[in-house]
Amino acid sequence: MPIATPEVYAEMLDRAKAGGFAYPAINVTSSQTLNAALRGFAEAESDGIVQVSTGGAEFLSGTTVKDMVTGATALAEYARIVAEKYPVTVALHTDHCPKNKLDGFMRPLIDISLERVSKGLDPLFQSHMWDGSAVPLEENLEIAKELLDKCARARIIMEMEIGVVGGEEDGVVGEINEKLYTTSEDALATAEAVGVGDNGRYMLAATFGNVHGVYKPGHVKLRPGVLKEIQEAVGAKYGKDKPFDLVFHGGSGSTLEEIQEAISYGVVKMNIDTDTQYAFTRPIADHMFRNYDGVLKVDGEVGNKKTYDPRSYGKAAETGMAARVVEACRHLKSAGTKIS
């Protein structure tokens, strides 16, 4: 099945919300990690979301080119071809874009989609994330209004964040403090500024103690009930049940019970990066340690081409990451729910 059309992507999110499950959104940084994500979704019989961050897009363009739009575009075009060979539907998304990178990442990518849509084509990406968590809420919402209008014209779903995710991702550091918990007042202000779907569809990354990075279970103090509170507060005002399509960021170290409680309050997308990075790298480390005298030319020897061929450990890495994607689908209850 090809990359999701705007209509199919909307259907995916609707099905997740109605069915009480969420899609894993897997961060990728290469064609190989993309293949691992697609394989994992296929093995779990789950549709899903593949996403690229600003740093991932820059890396994809080449370590000397360092052009985020080039890298993101290349990924999207490659994904369109290889995804045809997998029996699942996948949406393409760009992850956290802070204010200082809007003009070099999100805005030009939306412009590409606007041009494509004007020619009768689907947008390049199905959704983009504006991360205004580092600016005051009023400014965050003003920028969100502008971007939502532009996304709607490009047939793109926007994702936005209110509150702050702690920890570090792509050089952006969020302090671990009371701002990790979105308030009902924040959510009501968001609905007042950008609507509840009437001005264009968007997903909301509301924070409830989320922290980027890797932590042992119990370190992250999640309060999923925060999501219930904001859904009820805004739902009561606008007469809608669970008005927000919610996104779960920074889930490493969360318990399965916390994850599934969050889903019950309207989470339809959960970002997964740290855990799949490790699942990809762990088999490579195993290969290198087991075959050190083959991957290295030790004591004047010639090594072993079969073990230093990148395909030898790349296959193991893909298998490891795909297995972690399958696990994510099972945890988020999307396994076995594919549309096709």
Side-chain angles (χ1 to χ4, degrees), residues 196-245:
V196 285
D198 40 314
N199 297 319
R201 187 163 187 170
Y202 65 92
M203 295 180 282
L204 182 67
T207 57
F208 52 103
N210 323 52
V211 180
H212 285 135
V214 57
Y215 302 92
K216 293 181 179 179
H219 178 86
V220 179
K221 305 301 181 184
L222 292 180
R223 287 167 38 202
V226 166
L227 303 180
K228 182 175 185 286
E229 292 167 8
I230 68 172
Q231 291 278 43
E232 290 178 345
V234 175
K237 181 173 180 179
Y238 291 88
K240 297 183 70 172
D241 180 45
K242 297 178 184 174
F244 293 123
D245 295 332

Short mmCIF file of all heavy atoms in Angstrom, two decimals, residues 196-245:
data_model
loop_
_atom_site.label_atom_id
_atom_site.label_comp_id
_atom_site.label_asym_id
_atom_site.label_seq_id
_atom_site.Cartn_x
_atom_site.Cartn_y
_atom_site.Cartn_z
N VAL A 196 -11.18 23.73 17.25
CA VAL A 196 -11.15 22.31 17.59
C VAL A 196 -11.44 21.50 16.32
O VAL A 196 -12.25 20.59 16.30
CB VAL A 196 -12.17 21.96 18.71
CG1 VAL A 196 -11.68 22.44 20.06
CG2 VAL A 196 -13.55 22.55 18.41
N GLY A 197 -10.72 21.87 15.27
CA GLY A 197 -10.84 21.18 13.99
C GLY A 197 -11.54 22.00 12.92
O GLY A 197 -11.43 21.70 11.73
N ASP A 198 -12.24 23.06 13.32
CA ASP A 198 -12.99 23.86 12.37
C ASP A 198 -12.10 24.77 11.51
O ASP A 198 -12.51 25.21 10.43
CB ASP A 198 -14.04 24.71 13.10
CG ASP A 198 -13.53 25.29 14.41
OD1 ASP A 198 -12.90 24.54 15.18
OD2 ASP A 198 -13.74 26.48 14.66
N ASN A 199 -10.89 25.02 11.96
CA ASN A 199 -9.96 25.87 11.19
C ASN A 199 -8.85 25.06 10.53
O ASN A 199 -7.88 25.61 10.03
CB ASN A 199 -9.32 26.92 12.12
CG ASN A 199 -10.34 27.87 12.69
OD1 ASN A 199 -11.25 28.32 12.00
ND2 ASN A 199 -10.21 28.17 13.98
N GLY A 200 -9.01 23.75 10.55
CA GLY A 200 -7.97 22.86 10.05
C GLY A 200 -7.66 21.83 11.12
O GLY A 200 -7.64 22.14 12.31
N ARG A 201 -7.41 20.61 10.69
CA ARG A 201 -7.18 19.54 11.66
C ARG A 201 -5.76 19.61 12.21
O ARG A 201 -4.80 19.87 11.47
CB ARG A 201 -7.41 18.18 11.01
CG ARG A 201 -7.33 17.03 12.02
CD ARG A 201 -7.95 15.76 11.47
NE ARG A 201 -8.02 14.72 12.50
CZ ARG A 201 -8.68 13.58 12.35
NH1 ARG A 201 -9.32 13.33 11.22
NH2 ARG A 201 -8.71 12.69 13.33
N TYR A 202 -5.64 19.38 13.50
CA TYR A 202 -4.33 19.35 14.12
C TYR A 202 -4.30 18.32 15.23
O TYR A 202 -5.34 17.90 15.75
CB TYR A 202 -3.93 20.73 14.67
CG TYR A 202 -4.79 21.25 15.81
CD1 TYR A 202 -4.44 21.02 17.14
CD2 TYR A 202 -5.95 21.98 15.56
CE1 TYR A 202 -5.21 21.50 18.19
CE2 TYR A 202 -6.74 22.46 16.60
CZ TYR A 202 -6.36 22.21 17.91
OH TYR A 202 -7.14 22.69 18.94
N MET A 203 -3.10 17.89 15.59
CA MET A 203 -2.87 17.03 16.74
C MET A 203 -2.20 17.86 17.82
O MET A 203 -1.45 18.79 17.51
CB MET A 203 -1.98 15.84 16.36
CG MET A 203 -2.63 14.89 15.37
SD MET A 203 -1.55 13.48 14.93
CE MET A 203 -0.44 14.27 13.76
N LEU A 204 -2.47 17.52 19.05
CA LEU A 204 -1.95 18.31 20.17
C LEU A 204 -1.05 17.47 21.06
O LEU A 204 -1.48 16.46 21.62
CB LEU A 204 -3.11 18.88 20.99
CG LEU A 204 -2.71 19.77 22.18
CD1 LEU A 204 -2.08 21.07 21.69
CD2 LEU A 204 -3.91 20.06 23.07
N ALA A 205 0.19 17.90 21.18
CA ALA A 205 1.12 17.28 22.13
C ALA A 205 1.00 18.05 23.44
O ALA A 205 1.67 19.06 23.65
CB ALA A 205 2.55 17.33 21.60
N ALA A 206 0.09 17.60 24.28
CA ALA A 206 -0.07 18.20 25.61
C ALA A 206 0.80 17.41 26.57
O ALA A 206 0.87 16.18 26.50
CB ALA A 206 -1.54 18.14 26.03
N THR A 207 1.47 18.10 27.46
CA THR A 207 2.45 17.42 28.31
C THR A 207 1.86 17.03 29.67
O THR A 207 1.05 17.76 30.25
CB THR A 207 3.68 18.31 28.51
OG1 THR A 207 3.29 19.57 29.07
CG2 THR A 207 4.39 18.57 27.19
N PHE A 208 2.30 15.88 30.14
CA PHE A 208 1.82 15.40 31.43
C PHE A 208 2.97 14.75 32.21
O PHE A 208 2.82 13.74 32.86
CB PHE A 208 0.66 14.42 31.24
CG PHE A 208 0.90 13.28 30.29
CD1 PHE A 208 1.16 12.00 30.77
CD2 PHE A 208 0.85 13.46 28.92
CE1 PHE A 208 1.37 10.94 29.91
CE2 PHE A 208 1.06 12.40 28.05
CZ PHE A 208 1.32 11.14 28.54
N GLY A 209 4.14 15.40 32.13
CA GLY A 209 5.33 14.92 32.81
C GLY A 209 6.34 14.27 31.89
O GLY A 209 7.32 13.69 32.35
N ASN A 210 6.11 14.38 30.58
CA ASN A 210 6.95 13.71 29.59
C ASN A 210 8.38 14.23 29.60
O ASN A 210 8.62 15.41 29.78
CB ASN A 210 6.39 13.92 28.17
CG ASN A 210 4.88 13.91 28.13
OD1 ASN A 210 4.22 14.62 28.87
ND2 ASN A 210 4.33 13.13 27.24
N VAL A 211 9.32 13.34 29.35
CA VAL A 211 10.74 13.70 29.31
C VAL A 211 11.42 12.95 28.16
O VAL A 211 11.33 11.73 28.08
CB VAL A 211 11.46 13.35 30.64
CG1 VAL A 211 12.93 13.74 30.57
CG2 VAL A 211 10.80 14.07 31.82
N HIS A 212 12.10 13.71 27.29
CA HIS A 212 12.86 13.07 26.22
C HIS A 212 14.10 12.39 26.78
O HIS A 212 14.66 12.83 27.78
CB HIS A 212 13.32 14.13 25.19
CG HIS A 212 12.24 14.61 24.30
ND1 HIS A 212 12.06 15.95 24.01
CD2 HIS A 212 11.27 13.96 23.61
CE1 HIS A 212 11.03 16.09 23.19
NE2 HIS A 212 10.54 14.89 22.94
N GLY A 213 14.55 11.35 26.10
CA GLY A 213 15.78 10.68 26.52
C GLY A 213 15.49 9.31 27.07
O GLY A 213 14.40 8.76 26.92
N VAL A 214 16.48 8.74 27.75
CA VAL A 214 16.34 7.38 28.26
C VAL A 214 16.45 7.40 29.79
O VAL A 214 17.37 7.99 30.36
CB VAL A 214 17.41 6.44 27.64
CG1 VAL A 214 18.82 6.94 27.89
CG2 VAL A 214 17.23 5.02 28.15
N TYR A 215 15.46 6.77 30.41
CA TYR A 215 15.40 6.76 31.87
C TYR A 215 14.92 5.40 32.34
O TYR A 215 14.18 4.70 31.64
CB TYR A 215 14.43 7.85 32.38
CG TYR A 215 14.81 9.23 31.93
CD1 TYR A 215 14.29 9.76 30.76
CD2 TYR A 215 15.73 9.98 32.66
CE1 TYR A 215 14.67 11.03 30.33
CE2 TYR A 215 16.11 11.25 32.24
CZ TYR A 215 15.58 11.77 31.07
OH TYR A 215 15.95 13.00 30.63
N LYS A 216 15.31 5.03 33.55
CA LYS A 216 14.83 3.80 34.14
C LYS A 216 13.37 3.97 34.54
O LYS A 216 12.94 5.08 34.87
CB LYS A 216 15.68 3.43 35.36
CG LYS A 216 17.12 3.05 35.03
CD LYS A 216 17.89 2.67 36.29
CE LYS A 216 19.31 2.27 35.95
NZ LYS A 216 20.09 1.90 37.16
N PRO A 217 12.61 2.87 34.53
CA PRO A 217 11.21 2.97 34.98
C PRO A 217 11.12 3.58 36.37
O PRO A 217 11.91 3.28 37.26
CB PRO A 217 10.77 1.49 34.99
CG PRO A 217 11.64 0.83 33.96
CD PRO A 217 12.97 1.52 34.07
N GLY A 218 10.16 4.48 36.53
CA GLY A 218 9.96 5.13 37.82
C GLY A 218 10.57 6.51 37.89
O GLY A 218 10.19 7.32 38.74
N HIS A 219 11.54 6.81 37.00
CA HIS A 219 12.19 8.13 37.04
C HIS A 219 11.25 9.21 36.51
O HIS A 219 11.20 10.31 37.05
CB HIS A 219 13.47 8.11 36.21
CG HIS A 219 14.17 9.44 36.16
ND1 HIS A 219 15.07 9.85 37.13
CD2 HIS A 219 14.08 10.48 35.28
CE1 HIS A 219 15.51 11.07 36.84
NE2 HIS A 219 14.92 11.46 35.73
N VAL A 220 10.53 8.87 35.45
CA VAL A 220 9.62 9.84 34.85
C VAL A 220 8.29 9.83 35.61
O VAL A 220 7.66 8.79 35.76
CB VAL A 220 9.38 9.48 33.36
CG1 VAL A 220 8.42 10.47 32.73
CG2 VAL A 220 10.71 9.48 32.61
N LYS A 221 7.88 10.99 36.10
CA LYS A 221 6.67 11.09 36.90
C LYS A 221 5.50 11.55 36.03
O LYS A 221 5.20 12.73 35.92
CB LYS A 221 6.87 12.07 38.06
CG LYS A 221 8.08 11.75 38.95
CD LYS A 221 7.98 10.35 39.58
CE LYS A 221 9.18 10.07 40.47
NZ LYS A 221 9.17 8.69 41.01
N LEU A 222 4.89 10.60 35.38
CA LEU A 222 3.78 10.91 34.48
C LEU A 222 2.47 11.03 35.25
O LEU A 222 2.24 10.32 36.23
CB LEU A 222 3.63 9.82 33.42
CG LEU A 222 4.75 9.72 32.38
CD1 LEU A 222 4.43 8.60 31.40
CD2 LEU A 222 4.92 11.03 31.62
N ARG A 223 1.63 11.95 34.76
CA ARG A 223 0.28 12.10 35.31
C ARG A 223 -0.70 12.09 34.15
O ARG A 223 -1.16 13.14 33.69
CB ARG A 223 0.17 13.40 36.09
CG ARG A 223 0.89 13.37 37.44
CD ARG A 223 1.04 14.74 38.07
NE ARG A 223 -0.12 15.60 37.86
CZ ARG A 223 -0.10 16.93 37.93
NH1 ARG A 223 1.04 17.55 38.21
NH2 ARG A 223 -1.18 17.65 37.74
N PRO A 224 -1.02 10.90 33.60
CA PRO A 224 -1.93 10.83 32.44
C PRO A 224 -3.27 11.49 32.69
O PRO A 224 -3.94 11.94 31.75
CB PRO A 224 -2.07 9.32 32.20
CG PRO A 224 -0.83 8.73 32.79
CD PRO A 224 -0.54 9.57 33.99
N GLY A 225 -3.67 11.58 33.96
CA GLY A 225 -4.95 12.23 34.27
C GLY A 225 -5.03 13.66 33.80
O GLY A 225 -6.14 14.20 33.61
N VAL A 226 -3.88 14.30 33.58
CA VAL A 226 -3.86 15.66 33.03
C VAL A 226 -4.56 15.69 31.67
O VAL A 226 -5.29 16.64 31.35
CB VAL A 226 -2.40 16.17 32.90
CG1 VAL A 226 -2.32 17.41 32.02
CG2 VAL A 226 -1.80 16.44 34.27
N LEU A 227 -4.35 14.64 30.87
CA LEU A 227 -4.98 14.58 29.54
C LEU A 227 -6.50 14.48 29.67
O LEU A 227 -7.24 15.10 28.89
CB LEU A 227 -4.43 13.38 28.76
CG LEU A 227 -2.92 13.34 28.55
CD1 LEU A 227 -2.51 12.11 27.76
CD2 LEU A 227 -2.43 14.62 27.86
N LYS A 228 -6.95 13.72 30.63
CA LYS A 228 -8.40 13.59 30.87
C LYS A 228 -8.98 14.94 31.26
O LYS A 228 -10.05 15.34 30.77
CB LYS A 228 -8.63 12.56 31.98
CG LYS A 228 -10.09 12.29 32.32
CD LYS A 228 -10.18 11.15 33.34
CE LYS A 228 -11.62 10.75 33.62
NZ LYS A 228 -12.31 11.75 34.45
N GLU A 229 -8.26 15.67 32.09
CA GLU A 229 -8.74 16.97 32.56
C GLU A 229 -8.89 17.96 31.41
O GLU A 229 -9.89 18.68 31.33
CB GLU A 229 -7.78 17.53 33.61
CG GLU A 229 -7.78 16.75 34.93
CD GLU A 229 -6.62 17.12 35.84
OE1 GLU A 229 -5.91 18.11 35.51
OE2 GLU A 229 -6.42 16.43 36.86
N ILE A 230 -7.89 18.02 30.52
CA ILE A 230 -7.98 19.01 29.44
C ILE A 230 -9.03 18.60 28.41
O ILE A 230 -9.73 19.46 27.85
CB ILE A 230 -6.61 19.27 28.79
CG1 ILE A 230 -6.12 18.06 28.01
CG2 ILE A 230 -5.58 19.71 29.81
CD1 ILE A 230 -4.87 18.34 27.21
N GLN A 231 -9.18 17.30 28.16
CA GLN A 231 -10.23 16.86 27.23
C GLN A 231 -11.61 17.21 27.77
O GLN A 231 -12.48 17.70 27.04
CB GLN A 231 -10.13 15.34 27.00
CG GLN A 231 -8.90 14.88 26.23
CD GLN A 231 -9.05 15.01 24.72
OE1 GLN A 231 -9.55 16.03 24.22
NE2 GLN A 231 -8.57 14.03 23.99
N GLU A 232 -11.80 17.03 29.07
CA GLU A 232 -13.10 17.31 29.67
C GLU A 232 -13.38 18.80 29.72
O GLU A 232 -14.51 19.24 29.45
CB GLU A 232 -13.17 16.70 31.08
CG GLU A 232 -13.23 15.18 31.07
CD GLU A 232 -13.26 14.59 32.46
OE1 GLU A 232 -12.94 15.33 33.43
OE2 GLU A 232 -13.58 13.39 32.60
N ALA A 233 -12.36 19.61 30.04
CA ALA A 233 -12.56 21.05 30.13
C ALA A 233 -12.93 21.64 28.78
O ALA A 233 -13.88 22.42 28.64
CB ALA A 233 -11.30 21.73 30.67
N VAL A 234 -12.19 21.27 27.75
CA VAL A 234 -12.47 21.81 26.41
C VAL A 234 -13.71 21.15 25.82
O VAL A 234 -14.52 21.83 25.16
CB VAL A 234 -11.24 21.60 25.49
CG1 VAL A 234 -11.55 22.04 24.06
CG2 VAL A 234 -10.04 22.36 26.04
N GLY A 235 -13.89 19.88 26.07
CA GLY A 235 -15.08 19.19 25.57
C GLY A 235 -16.37 19.77 26.11
O GLY A 235 -17.36 19.90 25.39
N ALA A 236 -16.35 20.16 27.40
CA ALA A 236 -17.54 20.75 28.00
C ALA A 236 -17.89 22.09 27.35
O ALA A 236 -19.06 22.40 27.13
CB ALA A 236 -17.32 20.93 29.50
N LYS A 237 -16.88 22.87 27.02
CA LYS A 237 -17.13 24.19 26.42
C LYS A 237 -17.62 24.08 24.99
O LYS A 237 -18.47 24.87 24.55
CB LYS A 237 -15.86 25.03 26.47
CG LYS A 237 -16.04 26.43 25.88
CD LYS A 237 -14.83 27.32 26.08
CE LYS A 237 -15.08 28.70 25.47
NZ LYS A 237 -13.93 29.62 25.67
N TYR A 238 -17.08 23.12 24.24
CA TYR A 238 -17.39 23.04 22.82
C TYR A 238 -18.37 21.91 22.47
O TYR A 238 -18.70 21.71 21.30
CB TYR A 238 -16.10 22.87 22.00
CG TYR A 238 -15.25 24.12 22.02
CD1 TYR A 238 -14.32 24.32 23.04
CD2 TYR A 238 -15.40 25.11 21.06
CE1 TYR A 238 -13.55 25.48 23.08
CE2 TYR A 238 -14.63 26.26 21.08
CZ TYR A 238 -13.71 26.44 22.10
OH TYR A 238 -12.95 27.59 22.14
N GLY A 239 -18.84 21.19 23.47
CA GLY A 239 -19.82 20.14 23.23
C GLY A 239 -19.28 18.98 22.41
O GLY A 239 -20.00 18.40 21.59
N LYS A 240 -18.01 18.64 22.63
CA LYS A 240 -17.39 17.53 21.90
C LYS A 240 -16.73 16.57 22.88
O LYS A 240 -16.11 17.00 23.86
CB LYS A 240 -16.34 18.06 20.91
CG LYS A 240 -16.89 18.96 19.81
CD LYS A 240 -15.80 19.38 18.83
CE LYS A 240 -15.34 18.22 17.98
NZ LYS A 240 -14.43 18.65 16.89
N ASP A 241 -16.86 15.29 22.60
CA ASP A 241 -16.19 14.29 23.42
C ASP A 241 -14.75 14.14 22.94
O ASP A 241 -14.51 13.94 21.75
CB ASP A 241 -16.92 12.95 23.31
CG ASP A 241 -16.27 11.86 24.16
OD1 ASP A 241 -15.92 12.15 25.32
OD2 ASP A 241 -16.10 10.74 23.65
N LYS A 242 -13.80 14.25 23.86
CA LYS A 242 -12.38 14.15 23.52
C LYS A 242 -12.06 14.99 22.27
O LYS A 242 -11.72 14.46 21.21
CB LYS A 242 -11.97 12.69 23.29
CG LYS A 242 -12.12 11.81 24.51
CD LYS A 242 -11.75 10.37 24.19
CE LYS A 242 -12.00 9.45 25.39
NZ LYS A 242 -11.80 8.02 25.06
N PRO A 243 -12.16 16.30 22.38
CA PRO A 243 -11.99 17.16 21.20
C PRO A 243 -10.60 17.15 20.59
O PRO A 243 -10.44 17.43 19.40
CB PRO A 243 -12.33 18.55 21.75
CG PRO A 243 -12.06 18.46 23.23
CD PRO A 243 -12.44 17.07 23.60
N PHE A 244 -9.58 16.80 21.38
CA PHE A 244 -8.22 16.82 20.87
C PHE A 244 -7.75 15.44 20.43
O PHE A 244 -8.02 14.44 21.10
CB PHE A 244 -7.24 17.33 21.94
CG PHE A 244 -7.42 18.77 22.33
CD1 PHE A 244 -7.66 19.11 23.65
CD2 PHE A 244 -7.33 19.79 21.39
CE1 PHE A 244 -7.81 20.43 24.04
CE2 PHE A 244 -7.49 21.12 21.75
CZ PHE A 244 -7.73 21.44 23.08
N ASP A 245 -7.04 15.41 19.30
CA ASP A 245 -6.25 14.24 18.91
C ASP A 245 -4.89 14.41 19.58
O ASP A 245 -4.09 15.25 19.16
CB ASP A 245 -6.08 14.17 17.39
CG ASP A 245 -7.39 13.94 16.65
OD1 ASP A 245 -8.30 13.34 17.23
OD2 ASP A 245 -7.49 14.38 15.49
#
